[in-house]
Amino acid sequence: MTTHFIRSEMVPAQPAPHRTSGPILWLRTRLFSSIPNTIMSLVVLGLLFLIVPPMFFFLVPTTFGGHAIPFGLEPDACRVPGAGACWAYIGARINFFIYGFYPPDEYWRPNLVFLLGALLIVPLLIPRAPFKVINAVLFFVVYPVVCFYLLNGGVFGLRSVPTEQWGGLLVTLIISLVGIICSIPLGILLALGRQSKLPIIKTLCIMFIELWRAVPLITVLFMASVMLPLFMPQGTTVDKLLRALIGVTLFSSAYLAEVVRGGLQALPRGQYEAASSLGLSYWKSMGFIVLPQALKHVIPGIVNTFIALFKDTSLVSIVGIFDLLNAVQSAASDVVWGSPTQAMTGYLFAAFVFWIFCFSMSRYSMYMERRLDTGHKR
Amino acid sequence: MAALDGASGNPPKTTFYNDPVIRGYIYQLLVAVLVIGFFTWIVINAAQNLAAQNKSTGFDFLGRTSGFSISFTLIPFDRTSYYWQAFVVGLLNTLLVAAIGIFFATILGFTIGIARLSSNWLVSRLATLYVEIIRNIPLLLQLFFWYFAVLKAMPAVRDSLALPFGSFLNQRGFFVPRPVWDERIVWMWLALAIVVVFCFVLRRWARRRLFETGRRFPVFLTALGGSILIALAVFLLSGATVSFDFPELQRFNFRGGLELPPEFVALAFGLSIYTAAFIAETVRGGIKAVSRGQTEAAESLGLKEGDRLRLVVLPQAMRVIVPPLTSQYLNLTKNSSLGAAIGYPELVNVFAGTTLNQTGKAIEVIGMTMLVYLTFSLLTSAFMNWYNGRVALVER
């Protein structure tokens, strides 16, 4: 007699396990997890419903189902009631927005400048690209000189184009680039001066930095355009663009100095002491030991200063320099393209250009921040 | 034994021009001479230039009549007013737009900063989108957009946009109802002031009781409810009346109410929107800087969710938030100078613009303008030092 413990009927099926992924669950956890969350989601959805469709129709050209006027159409098309953004106007004035009053048959010169700049800056930004030092020297020292002679002309048989005729995006890029290139050495010197043990130098640097950081850029530009001619010897005239460049450089070097100071202060004392114990002089220990480490750590901060500088270049339009914003602003009163959406379209275009530059710079700074954030891996 | 004497005394380790101490003095002397020389050169040049242009220096121009009028002033100002009054008008307008901008930027910035940390996907994405768009477009461009493309494109007076609470928006600006009260309202303000003082006393008492007995007292709710109730009671008892002066469409323009010029609206709006994006990032960073362990420790102490946030997380987050927040406030104040570009009569526009053009006193006018902003900046950093000292971590 044997006993068998054998189940004679099937075990009832268990309920299926809860899903841990899938669109429904995603909606439940991310949007409708609780009553307040549901209300918020509905409010935001309602808001989007109010904003997105009109924006879509305003921005998207008629060829893609919107109400905006695509490139290549005549000005009359934009005057139709209910027309969206007048992209045809941007298409027609694009050269003006990029080059300002630069003579059209010399456009190859700014184009060459853009191309050279792109060729030099891309390998500089890629951390793994070789020949960093040569690349940096080419970009920070040789390139500006080449650019100046190429754009200004007057040598090598190039036609002379005075700075009054430069304009648009070209001037915006020039001002930000020169501001960046000149403010780096100045900012580093100021930061070193502020950390210095010599009281007179330290006080002077602190005064310089705090003065420029305290005042708005617009007063600095006013000062540069009104007071600089007063301070120069009689009979000297300072180019209008140069005056703005000086103002922008002084202003941004003060901000840069504070960023670099952050890097200098973050460096452990031991590095300074190690440099002195090797018997290096001040400049050698700064140049070989301290600055390479300090600057590397503040690259994100430096890039952020440049983003601010790039946005701030738009202020030179107030002192009468013909940058991108000023070009867009003055083109807005162009009667040929006069239409209700003309001004709006111009600003949207300028905003888009600025946004592309600033956003890519901020992404780059975030990328560098992640790359440099290796402290915990040791 | 001359060699030994030399060793035991204080031997010149190197030649004097290689001695770091002496070198330091020489460098400083050189820099000082260079700086002084530079400034002397500038001053001489300026004096020569001014003499050549037959201009005098000095601040006596402040006492002369200005001969221009300003569209939007907080104090009476007309063509017969003096230049120093123009300075005050500009300063007050700057402070006004900065105060209003700071108010709205703080509210909007905190909302968006907290929204970015929300678990709600839509809310956090929308907040991120806001920050990424607004932060990466120049403020001046945004001001132009609001002023020229939005406010100037508003309908004409005749077909004004009617907004809630009897306010109107049109090309000429923003028209809102103005509260009108009689003098008996003073009693209400007085009562309110007394209640506020009492609230502070209450807070101290509640704190002491908390430390002594461990029992808590709902100070905030009591203070809020009490002050509203008392103010309302005094208001009704005193028999004061408050009415609103609504803007009304007359033949050509609105009559009555409070008229906010489009320049002011565009500047306040643009500054708030722009600065809010930066404040949002500050707030988000501050809250994220409080380590998760702090919340967990508070949980393990048995604190409720609200208390965890209010007593543990926020005080620590504020330590991180407040210094950058104050510098954002300072930035907003400095950025209000961009109002000059859209014609809002603030300090730079009125003083460094019109006054400078009329008097030609470049050095004095720019110097005074910069001094004002320098003062704001010094006050801000003084506050920051005080605050940092107050909330700094007390370590062993």
Side-chain angles (χ1 to χ4, degrees):
Chain A
M1 184 90 185
T2 52
T3 317
H4 296 282
F5 294 99
I6 297 173
R7 199 183 262 280
S8 54
E9 73 277 3
M10 291 289 282
V11 178
Q14 295 217 339
H18 283 295
R19 296 179 68 118
T20 51
S21 65
I24 305 282
L25 193 92
W26 183 88
L27 277 178
R28 279 235 312 259
T29 52
R30 293 300 196 80
L31 298 185
F32 304 107
S33 59
S34 64
I35 292 170
N37 237 337
T38 309
I39 295 173
M40 263 199 292
S41 300
L42 291 179
V43 168
V44 171
L45 280 175
L47 211 65
L48 288 178
F49 187 72
L50 280 180
I51 295 171
V52 174
M55 235 161 84
F56 173 83
F57 286 121
F58 186 82
L59 294 176
V60 176
T62 42
T63 38
F64 296 101
H67 295 159
I69 309 303
F71 296 141
L73 287 187
E74 294 302 308
D76 284 335
C78 299
R79 299 195 190 106
V80 176
C86 185
W87 297 125
Y89 156 67
I90 302 294
R93 303 308 305 270
I94 188 82
N95 281 343
F96 181 65
F97 293 152
I98 296 179
Y99 308 103
F101 295 111
Y102 211 85
D105 48 332
E106 304 283 343
Y107 277 170
W108 64 270
R109 280 149 67 175
N111 285 340
L112 190 60
V113 164
F114 291 146
L115 183 74
L116 278 178
L119 284 182
L120 284 174
I121 202 165
V122 167
L124 197 63
L125 294 182
I126 300 172
R128 267 182 309 176
F131 309 119
K132 271 277 170 306
V133 177
I134 301 174
N135 196 341
V137 169
L138 279 177
F139 182 70
F140 287 111
V141 183
V142 181
Y143 179 61
V145 180
V146 171
C147 277
F148 175 75
Y149 283 111
L150 201 56
L151 289 174
N152 197 46
V155 284
F156 309 122
L158 288 171
R159 206 173 111 202
S160 172
V161 182
T163 54
E164 285 80 42
Q165 295 186 7
W166 307 7
L169 185 63
L170 177 67
V171 160
T172 296
L173 288 176
I174 288 176
I175 295 178
S176 34
L177 211 63
V178 173
I180 288 167
I181 290 174
C182 298
S183 62
I184 287 178
L186 201 56
I188 292 175
L189 280 182
L190 283 169
L192 288 177
R194 196 174 181 161
Q195 297 290 93
S196 157
K197 286 190 207 74
L198 309 174
I200 293 180
I201 290 177
K202 189 175 177 177
T203 320
L204 283 174
C205 286
I206 290 179
M207 274 164 63
F208 183 93
I209 293 171
E210 293 305 326
L211 177 70
W212 295 128
R213 270 162 43 92
V215 297
L217 177 58
I218 178 169
T219 58
V220 178
L221 289 173
F222 266 126
M223 198 191 98
S225 65
V226 180
M227 278 160 83
L228 209 62
L230 270 183
F231 290 155
M232 288 293 123
Q234 267 181 318
T236 354
T237 48
V238 189
D239 186 79
K240 205 159 133 195
L241 186 63
L242 184 63
R243 282 184 234 166
L245 281 177
I246 292 174
V248 166
T249 304
L250 291 179
F251 187 76
S252 63
S253 67
Y255 280 86
L256 206 69
E258 285 301 274
V259 173
V260 175
R261 181 167 76 117
L264 291 176
Q265 283 178 341
L267 211 60
R269 266 229 63 70
Q271 296 293 325
Y272 292 86
E273 287 162 2
S276 329
S277 73
L278 283 176
L280 295 181
S281 72
Y282 176 79
W283 292 110
K284 275 187 180 156
S285 65
M286 287 298 146
F288 293 133
I289 314 270
V290 174
L291 279 178
Q293 301 183 67
L295 287 182
K296 198 181 125 196
H297 276 104
V298 292
I299 286 178
I302 294 178
V303 177
N304 284 338
T305 316
F306 292 162
I307 296 177
L309 172 67
F310 187 76
K311 285 190 295 175
D312 281 345
T313 54
S314 59
L315 264 64
V316 297
S317 60
I318 297 176
V319 290
I321 290 184
F322 220 75
D323 75 322
L324 175 63
L325 185 56
N326 208 348
V328 168
Q329 176 82 351
S330 57
S333 50
D334 177 1
V335 281
V336 179
W337 284 94
S339 73
T341 56
Q342 184 195 14
M344 178 82 91
T345 312
Y347 293 130
L348 285 176
F349 167 75
F352 182 68
V353 173
F354 275 110
W355 186 82
I356 287 280
F357 278 96
C358 295
F359 185 71
S360 36
M361 278 198 271
S362 81
R363 286 293 122 155
Y364 181 74
S365 121
M366 281 163 76
Y367 158 74
M368 283 310 279
E369 214 164 327
R370 268 200 307 278
R371 230 183 89 84
L372 296 172
D373 187 21
T374 48
H376 58 278
K377 284 186 189 154
R378 270 191 289 175
Chain B
M1 301 305 268
L4 264 183
D5 276 356
S8 62
N10 205 353
K13 279 169 275 175
T14 54
T15 43
F16 77 95
Y17 54 83
N18 271 335
D19 185 350
V21 179
I22 293 175
R23 274 198 163 192
Y25 284 121
I26 294 174
Y27 285 147
Q28 294 195 73
L29 198 70
L30 264 171
V31 169
V33 167
L34 273 177
V35 170
I36 292 171
F38 178 70
F39 276 102
T40 326
W41 183 65
I42 278 181
V43 168
I44 291 172
N45 282 339
Q48 280 176 350
N49 283 327
L50 286 173
Q53 294 168 23
N54 245 336
K55 281 183 190 161
S56 61
T57 50
F59 289 93
D60 47 347
F61 73 95
L62 287 174
R64 275 188 246 140
T65 47
S66 61
F68 64 91
S69 54
I70 300 174
S71 58
F72 179 74
T73 60
L74 292 177
I75 56 168
F77 187 89
D78 58 24
R79 286 163 190 288
T80 56
S81 303
Y82 302 112
Y83 280 123
W84 67 265
Q85 283 172 315
F87 175 77
V88 175
V89 165
L91 184 60
L92 286 178
N93 280 345
T94 292
L95 288 175
L96 175 75
V97 82
I100 288 180
I102 285 174
F103 177 76
F104 286 111
T106 311
I107 295 178
L108 194 62
F110 270 78
T111 314
I112 290 169
I114 293 169
R116 271 198 87 172
L117 295 170
S118 165
S119 61
N120 189 318
W121 185 84
L122 262 179
V123 171
S124 68
R125 281 308 142 104
L126 203 64
T128 311
L129 196 69
Y130 174 91
V131 170
E132 291 295 357
I133 289 179
I134 298 295
R135 254 193 343 167
N136 289 319
I137 296 174
L139 175 60
L140 187 64
L141 179 52
Q142 294 188 30
L143 290 180
F144 279 172
F145 180 83
W146 295 121
Y147 183 64
F148 291 111
V150 175
L151 283 176
K152 281 281 150 184
M154 280 287 152
V157 177
R158 193 139 291 282
D159 355 77
S160 296
L161 221 61
L163 297 173
F165 309 113
S167 49
F168 292 93
L169 195 61
N170 62 37
Q171 273 184 345
R172 304 239 184 111
F174 189 38
F175 295 82
V176 289
R178 186 162 47 115
V180 184
W181 42 55
D182 56 17
E183 56 270 28
R184 278 172 293 183
I185 199 88
V186 173
W187 293 110
M188 191 191 86
W189 294 125
L190 202 68
L192 208 57
I194 295 171
V195 170
V196 166
V197 172
F198 179 74
C199 286
F200 276 100
V201 178
L202 184 76
R203 184 161 157 260
R204 287 188 66 134
W205 168 80
R207 221 178 150 74
R208 226 190 25 242
R209 196 180 77 147
L210 176 68
F211 287 158
E212 278 168 7
T213 65
R215 278 183 300 155
R216 292 176 57 180
F217 185 80
V219 182
F220 182 73
L221 283 180
T222 317
L224 191 73
S227 47
I228 289 177
L229 276 179
I230 290 171
L232 205 64
V234 174
F235 174 71
L236 291 175
L237 281 177
S238 67
T241 54
V242 169
S243 62
F244 283 95
D245 178 16
F246 284 98
E248 273 175 64
L249 184 61
Q250 302 284 319
R251 187 178 292 268
F252 294 115
N253 203 351
F254 278 92
R255 199 46 80 63
L258 198 64
E259 183 190 342
L260 300 172
E263 296 83 26
F264 175 79
V265 177
L267 185 59
F269 197 70
L271 282 175
S272 314
I273 297 243
Y274 185 75
T275 316
F278 289 88
I279 292 181
E281 282 302 89
T282 305
V283 169
R284 183 175 76 111
I287 293 178
K288 279 188 97 172
V290 180
S291 74
R292 176 107 193 92
Q294 294 291 329
T295 317
E296 284 164 0
E299 250 167 63
S300 72
L301 283 177
L303 290 180
K304 282 183 289 183
E305 165 135 35
D307 288 344
R308 282 206 298 268
L309 201 66
R310 206 166 57 82
L311 299 175
V312 179
V313 177
L314 271 186
Q316 299 186 66
M318 284 315 270
R319 181 183 292 150
V320 184
I321 291 174
V322 167
L325 188 66
T326 30
S327 60
Q328 285 307 331
Y329 289 166
L330 181 65
N331 278 346
L332 189 145
T333 313
K334 286 195 289 178
N335 283 337
S336 72
S337 60
L338 293 188
I342 56 169
Y344 176 70
E346 46 72 65
L347 187 64
V348 171
N349 192 2
V350 171
F351 203 61
T354 317
T355 305
L356 173 62
N357 284 339
Q358 289 196 359
T359 60
K361 305 265 182 191
I363 299 174
E364 295 86 343
V365 167
I366 299 271
M368 276 173 79
T369 313
M370 286 175 122
L371 201 64
V372 168
Y373 288 106
L374 196 62
T375 316
F376 287 154
S377 164
L378 289 179
L379 286 178
T380 309
S381 56
F383 167 80
M384 254 184 316
N385 284 341
W386 170 81
Y387 182 83
N388 276 336
R390 218 179 88 102
V391 302
L393 272 182
V394 184
E395 292 185 7
R396 275 159 295 172

